């Protein structure tokens, strides 16, 4: 029994030794390198860039009140279509007490002057009827009465506008009614009923009642690096992609390149704008993030190989050209335009030549 166990132990040790030796021997063998084989072909090469930006309306306006007040009623909501001059909200006026007091004083003074003008006119008319005064004197008094009446009406209108926001003589153009200045889609109404609002003045921009935009006329707005802006020109076709619409793409035309750079994270960039052509059945929302693909340069029907086939040594660019016997020969090449994947070969290769690419497997 002991001899059998001893024999099994020696056998097990021998198996471990032989397995270890075989494993080390296999790993010590040099690996055979296998490379991709790439063929030089004739194709179009486009050098493109992708600019990140957003879709915005060309014409977007902020509708502001003409007077200070409180939002009494809102007639529209964000997302609704509004026509030019259509009422969006109604205000309740909060008059300035100093201004109101001045308007009331003006009205009282106008009424006093009008009362006196009427007395003068009645007296002058009685004398004129008796032919005791000249027609010239009578006309002067009549004109003074007319002026006093006009001043009283103007003072009354001014008081009503300050106190109520609208005068009885001009109710249709009430400043308490906030109207849209353009036709379009209401993008936002940042106020609620009961909110206080102020008109624009030299000290502030005023309260925005609504933001309205023409969503049928959109543009792409983005920034491009100064290293690429020199290749751009107005009228260049652009392909816009919106990720929020499952990578929906559509055409655009470059129409604006800023003449002045702005610094962004230490890099000089130029603003660009492109006119967007959108299908009418697509709902494009203002502010969508988008990418614009722009062709900076193009080479038509040129010989090319994948860039991964190129090798570099100093300033020399070369490839490994496959020979008839299966070996590879180093051949210098002259390159041209690249699209980031394929590169133009101006000299050194012919169509159909096979060159060595990157290593793919090891055996």
């Amino acid at each position: 029994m002991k001899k059998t166990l001893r024999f099994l132990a020696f056998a097990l040790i021998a198996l471990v030794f032989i397995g270890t030796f075989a494993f080390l021997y296999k790993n010590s063998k040099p690996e055979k390198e296998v490379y991709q084989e790439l063929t030089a072909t004739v194709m179009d090469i486009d050098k493109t860039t992708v600019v990140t930006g957003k879709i915005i309306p060309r014409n977007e306006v902020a509708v502001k009140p003409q007077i200070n007040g409180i939002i009494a009623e809102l007639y529209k909501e964000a997302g609704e279509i509004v026509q030019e001059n259509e009422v969006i909200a109604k205000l309740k006026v909060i008059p300035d007490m100093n201004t109101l007091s001045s308007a009331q004083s003006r009205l009282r003074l106008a009424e006093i002057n009008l009362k006196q003008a009427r007395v003068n006119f009645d007296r002058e008319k009685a004398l004129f009827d008796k032919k005791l005064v000249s027609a010239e004197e009578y006309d002067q008094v009549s004109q003074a009465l007319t002026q006093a009446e006009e001043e009283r009406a103007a003072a009354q209108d001014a008081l009503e506008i300050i106190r109520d926001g609208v005068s009885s003589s001009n109710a249709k153009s009430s400043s308490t009614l906030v109207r849209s200045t353009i036709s379009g889609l209401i993008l936002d109404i940042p106020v609620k009923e009961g909110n206080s609002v102020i008109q624009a003045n030299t000290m502030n921009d005023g309260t925005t009642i609504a933001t309205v935009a023409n969503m049928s006329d959109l543009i792409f707005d983005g920034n491009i690096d100064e290293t690429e802006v020199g290749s751009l020109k107005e009228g260049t076709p652009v392909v816009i992609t919106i990720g929020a619409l499952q990578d929906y793409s559509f055409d655009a035309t470059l129409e604006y390149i800023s003449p002045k750079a702005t610094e962004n994270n230490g890099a000089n960039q130029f603003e660009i704008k492109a006119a967007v052509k959108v299908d009418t059945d697509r709902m494009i929302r203002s502010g969508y993030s988008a990418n614009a693909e722009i062709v900076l340069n193009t080479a038509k029907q040129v010989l090319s190989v994948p860039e991964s086939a190129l090798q570099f040594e100093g300033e020399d660019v070369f490839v490994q050209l496959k020979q008839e016997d299966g070996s590879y020969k180093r051949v210098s090449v002259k390159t041209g335009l690249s699209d980031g994947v394929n590169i133009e070969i101006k000299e050194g290769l012919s169509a159909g030549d096979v060159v060595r690419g990157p290593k793919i497997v090891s055996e």
Side-chain angles (χ1 to χ4, degrees):
M1 184 66 178
K2 291 183 179 180
K3 291 182 178 181
T4 302
L5 293 175
R6 190 180 297 114
F7 176 77
L8 292 175
F10 282 130
L12 181 61
I13 293 172
L15 288 174
V16 172
F17 178 77
I18 293 172
T20 302
F21 178 79
F23 176 77
L24 294 175
Y25 175 77
K26 181 178 180 181
N27 288 343
S28 65
K29 292 176 62 179
E31 296 180 350
K32 181 180 179 180
E33 296 181 334
V34 179
Y35 294 88
Q36 295 181 26
E37 291 188 345
L38 307 173
T39 303
T41 57
V42 175
M43 62 185 299
D44 294 341
I45 294 181
D46 294 326
K47 181 182 179 182
T48 63
T49 186
V50 176
V51 179
T52 301
K54 58 184 178 180
I55 303 298
I56 60 175
R58 185 187 302 276
N59 187 19
E60 179 178 325
V61 299
V63 180
K64 300 178 184 292
Q66 300 177 9
I67 59 172
N68 301 335
I70 295 176
I71 301 292
E73 294 181 76
L74 285 171
Y75 302 115
K76 296 291 183 178
E77 295 181 354
E80 294 185 359
I81 299 296
V82 66
Q83 301 300 320
E84 183 179 357
N85 208 38
E86 189 174 354
V87 177
I88 297 176
K90 182 179 180 180
L91 304 183
K92 178 182 178 182
V93 177
I94 303 177
D96 177 77
M97 298 310 296
N98 290 332
T99 307
L100 178 61
S101 179
S102 297
Q104 290 171 338
S105 297
R106 177 186 174 187
L107 178 59
R108 288 194 296 268
L109 181 59
E111 289 176 341
I112 293 172
N113 292 336
L114 176 59
K115 183 178 180 180
Q116 184 61 49
R118 283 174 177 166
V119 171
N120 294 339
F121 175 77
D122 292 340
R123 182 172 55 245
E124 197 73 14
K125 186 176 184 303
L127 295 175
F128 179 74
D129 291 340
K130 297 178 181 180
K131 298 183 180 181
L132 297 176
V133 295
S134 65
E136 182 180 356
E137 291 176 333
Y138 173 75
D139 290 341
Q140 290 177 352
V141 174
S142 178
Q143 183 178 1
L145 175 60
T146 302
Q147 290 176 345
E149 290 174 340
E150 287 295 326
E151 172 58 23
R152 196 272 179 195
Q156 179 67 37
D157 284 349
L159 175 61
E160 291 176 352
I161 290 173
I162 293 172
R163 184 186 60 206
D164 306 322
V166 57
S167 68
S168 55
S169 63
N170 200 15
K172 291 185 179 180
S173 59
S174 170
S175 57
T176 60
L177 299 179
V178 181
R179 301 175 183 271
S180 177
T181 55
I182 65 169
S183 297
L185 179 71
I186 299 178
L187 302 181
D188 184 31
I189 295 183
V191 296
K192 298 180 180 180
E193 292 182 1
N195 286 164
S196 296
V197 297
I198 58 175
Q199 67 184 107
N201 53 49
T202 56
M203 301 299 294
N204 59 67
D205 295 332
T207 305
T208 297
I209 302 295
T211 303
V212 183
N214 179 7
M215 295 302 292
S216 63
D217 187 8
L218 302 175
I219 61 173
F220 169 84
D221 183 68
N223 292 282
I224 190 170
D225 192 81
E226 65 177 340
T227 58
E228 298 175 326
V229 71
S231 301
L232 296 182
K233 61 180 180 180
E234 295 176 357
T236 299
V238 180
V239 177
I240 306 294
T241 303
I242 298 179
L245 298 180
Q246 298 182 348
D247 296 326
Y248 170 61
S249 298
F250 48 88
D251 295 329
T253 304
L254 190 65
E255 65 177 20
Y256 172 78
I257 305 170
S258 174
K260 181 180 179 181
T262 57
E263 186 173 340
N264 186 7
N265 295 327
N268 285 338
Q269 295 187 325
F270 291 81
E271 182 184 22
I272 63 171
K273 296 180 181 180
V276 173
K277 303 172 185 176
V278 183
D279 296 335
T280 55
D281 59 342
R282 286 280 184 172
M283 176 61 180
I284 306 298
R285 302 182 186 276
S286 177
Y288 265 152
S289 296
N291 293 327
E293 183 178 345
I294 307 174
V295 177
L296 301 177
N297 202 352
T298 186
K300 299 294 185 182
Q301 294 299 293
V302 294
L303 185 66
S304 68
V305 297
E307 282 195 8
S308 58
L310 299 183
Q311 297 179 4
F312 303 89
E313 187 176 288
E315 296 183 355
D316 188 24
V317 182
F318 61 92
V319 296
Q320 297 292 339
L321 178 62
K322 188 176 183 179
Q323 305 298 300
E324 292 183 359
D325 60 1
S327 63
Y328 291 94
K329 177 183 177 182
R330 171 172 165 165
V331 176
S332 295
V333 294
K334 182 178 179 181
T335 59
L337 188 66
S338 169
D339 62 6
V341 177
N342 299 299
I343 189 167
E344 178 186 2
I345 302 297
K346 294 184 175 181
E347 295 179 5
L349 294 178
S350 299
D353 285 347
V354 176
V355 297
R356 191 173 75 182
K359 184 169 63 175
I360 53 174
V361 295
S362 298
E363 296 181 348

